[in-house]
């Protein structure tokens, strides 16, 4: 006869944090409901959002995070090194003609 009980906590050696997740959790990563995510998915894919795995249908959280970083200009993407967030802010302010923000001790 087999034991149908779940393993006790001392039998579990480490927690597993899945990297591939269903649409519901990918949506949550974008702060969307699953319905909102599915509604916006075509538009997301057009701007480079990582597609679901062709085998599991799940989304790669690491790829989503890298896509978000690249869109924000803070991640390492396309062979470019990671950018400092303040560098991106300075560039954006320069584009609109504002002086660089004062950063650091006065």
């Amino acid at each position: 006869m087999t034991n149908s009980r779940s393993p006790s906590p001392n039998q579990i050696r480490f927690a597993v944090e899945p990297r591939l997740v269903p649409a519901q959790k990918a949506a949550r990563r974008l702060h969307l409901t699953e319905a909102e995510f599915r509604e916006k998915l075509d538009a997301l894919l057009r701007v480079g959002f990582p597609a679901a795995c062709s085998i599991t249908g799940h989304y790669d959280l690491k790829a989503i995070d890298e896509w978000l970083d690249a869109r924000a200009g803070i991640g390492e993407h396309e062979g470019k090194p990671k950018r400092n967030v303040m560098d991106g802010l300075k560039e954006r302010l320069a584009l609109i003609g504002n002086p660089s923000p004062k950063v650091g001790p006065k």
Side-chain angles (χ1 to χ4, degrees), residues 6-82:
S6 297
S8 65
N10 63 352
Q11 291 175 311
I12 299 173
R13 294 182 184 204
F14 55 90
V16 174
E17 293 184 28
R19 181 169 157 175
L20 290 177
V21 297
Q24 178 185 24
K25 291 187 179 185
R28 192 177 316 155
R29 185 63 125 223
L30 301 177
H31 198 71
L32 298 170
T33 65
E34 185 175 356
E36 291 169 328
F37 176 72
R38 292 196 185 281
E39 179 182 310
K40 297 172 191 276
L41 186 55
D42 286 340
L44 287 165
L45 292 170
R46 280 194 300 274
V47 296
F49 185 80
C53 172
S54 62
I55 298 169
T56 64
H58 288 71
Y59 294 86
D60 186 330
L61 286 177
K62 184 174 179 182
I64 292 172
D65 288 343
E66 289 175 1
W67 176 78
L68 289 167
D69 286 349
R71 287 193 49 95
I74 60 173
E76 188 172 320
H77 55 284
E78 298 176 15
K80 298 177 184 173
K82 289 186 179 184

